Amino acid sequence: MAILLFFLFAAFAVGSVLGMIISRNQAYSALFLVVAFASLGGLFGLLGAPFMAVVQIIIYAGAIMVLFIFVIMMIHLGEGISAEKKKWTIAAAVFMGIILLAEIVFAVKGAPAVPMAGQEMAGTSPTEIGRLLFTKYLYPFEITSILIIAALVGAVVLIKKREGE
Amino acid sequence: MIPPGYFFILSVVLFVLGIIAFFFKRDLITQFMAIEIMLNAANLAFLALARSSNFVDAQVIVFFIITVAAAEAAIGLAIVLLIFRKKKTIKTETLNSMKG
């Protein structure tokens, strides 16, 4: 059962990323990416991380992609992507991608097989993550909140129309 | 029980697809989306390793990665909008004012 779900989610993820590459319309690319992130959320759930699955779907597929779609709406590019795409750059991208794939596979193959943990975990409860977040990782948590405030202020300052513009 | 190797293979495939998408696409927004795909592939590998070694802390770290990605998306999209406002385009072919 779980293995069937894995292949279903994996097919959805890879298929929608391919669709995002092939699609010429940015809005369709963004929607394909929503599907990819949602199926990745399902995979996180299969990995015994239900909290991460929910966070992935709410923050990535929800908030971040809505942000992307807003920006796509604001940037009105009359026609789609330029047609005079150079063919050799596509070939170079695919070629370099295949080389990278081979390199990573070669590097991972040399590593010893990852041993499986003895018993199957029931999945980590959000309680456990919350406890870790507010004890062991309290300082990183606080620093992350400062980072988010800095990002918000930075985005507002960047976008703000200046005088005489 | 799904072997963690399957998740690694899927993660590698998604990462390479992200890199190909980055070079394939010709506008800043879609290239930015390709970066998000790579981040997610890394998250998947991280969680697979956490699962195979029973290490709960990894989920907290993935949580931080997602948070930082949200901040990065806000700043990056603001920069894209700023470029669009100044140059009236986000196609990388036409953004070549730094070319000698």
Side-chain angles (χ1 to χ4, degrees), chain B residues 26-72:
Chain B
R26 284 278 163 265
D27 61 306
L28 287 176
I29 290 187
T30 335
Q31 286 185 328
F32 202 31
M33 290 184 205
I35 295 174
E36 301 289 332
I37 294 173
M38 288 187 254
L39 269 174
N40 270 283
N43 275 352
L44 184 64
F46 216 74
L47 280 179
L49 267 177
R51 170 72 165 183
S52 65
S53 59
N54 251 334
F55 186 58
V56 181
D57 297 32
Q59 295 193 21
V60 180
I61 293 166
V62 169
F63 181 75
F64 285 138
I65 295 176
I66 291 179
T67 322
V68 172
E72 172 239 334

Side-chain angles (χ1 to χ4, degrees), chain A residues 20-105:
Chain A
M20 174 244 166
I21 295 177
I22 291 167
S23 156
R24 285 177 161 265
N25 188 327
Q26 294 161 325
Y28 291 161
S29 294
L31 291 177
F32 272 122
L33 218 56
V34 171
V35 177
F37 288 159
S39 44
L40 271 170
L43 288 170
F44 289 0
L46 283 180
L47 279 169
F51 181 66
M52 281 306 117
V54 171
V55 164
Q56 168 83 7
I57 287 174
I58 292 176
I59 296 186
Y60 251 116
I64 296 184
M65 290 322 291
V66 167
L67 208 63
F68 271 95
I69 290 171
F70 266 130
V71 173
I72 290 169
M73 277 162 54
M74 288 167 83
I75 294 179
H76 180 66
L77 284 180
E79 87 290 8
I81 315 303
S82 55
E84 72 279 19
K85 227 186 257 180
K86 295 188 189 72
K87 287 283 177 243
W88 66 268
T89 55
I90 297 169
V94 173
F95 179 68
M96 286 197 294
I98 289 169
I99 287 183
L100 182 74
L101 186 69
E103 271 179 5
I104 296 177
V105 167

Side-chain angles (χ1 to χ4, degrees), chain B:
Chain B
M1 189 72 209
I2 308 158
Y6 287 16
F7 286 98
F8 290 149
I9 293 167
L10 179 62
S11 160
V12 168
V13 167
L14 282 179
F15 194 88
V16 170
L17 277 178
I19 286 186
I20 289 177
F22 187 84
F23 286 109
F24 197 84
K25 288 299 193 176
R26 284 278 163 265
D27 61 306
L28 287 176
I29 290 187
T30 335
Q31 286 185 328
F32 202 31
M33 290 184 205
I35 295 174
E36 301 289 332
I37 294 173
M38 288 187 254
L39 269 174
N40 270 283
N43 275 352
L44 184 64
F46 216 74
L47 280 179
L49 267 177
R51 170 72 165 183
S52 65
S53 59
N54 251 334
F55 186 58
V56 181
D57 297 32
Q59 295 193 21
V60 180
I61 293 166
V62 169
F63 181 75
F64 285 138
I65 295 176
I66 291 179
T67 322
V68 172
E72 172 239 334
I75 287 288
L77 288 172
I79 292 174
V80 170
L81 268 182
L82 201 65
I83 292 174
F84 180 71
R85 198 181 285 163
K86 297 249 190 238
K87 302 266 185 186
K88 300 283 172 254
T89 181
I90 53 163
K91 288 176 190 165
T92 44
E93 282 157 347
T94 46
L95 296 173
N96 54 2
S97 53
M98 281 180 80
K99 200 167 161 184

